[in-house]
Amino acid sequence: MSISDKVRKDLWAKSGNRCAICRKELFSCIDKADFNIGEECHIVSSQPNGPRHIDNYGYYDSYENIILLCRNHHKEIDDSANLNIYS
C-alpha cells in the first residue's frame, strides 16, 4: 500500500511544514520557484531489511508510523550506524 491522501494532508498540516528534528521549513518559494525538501518517512519500515522493521507491525502507512523530515535527517536516522540512537 501507500500513504493515503488523508494521512499525507494530516502529516503536513500537523507538522507545520517543518522537519520533526531540526524544525527547518520544508516547502518554500524562492524567486517564483517552489522547493520541497520534505520527506514522508516511515518510523517502522515495512521492508524486512529496512530500518526498525517489526514483523506483523500492522498498518505501516498509518499516521502514527509516518514522520515528516528534511532530507538530511531522513538519511541520518535511517543510516544503519545510527539505528541505536533512532530506535
Side-chain angles (χ1 to χ4, degrees), residues 27-49:
F27 188 87
S28 60
C29 181
I30 301 171
D31 296 328
K32 299 182 182 179
D34 292 332
F35 292 94
N36 181 351
I37 61 166
E39 297 186 358
E40 299 156 349
C41 313
H42 290 88
I43 298 167
V44 176
S45 174
S46 63
Q47 302 300 314
N49 60 345

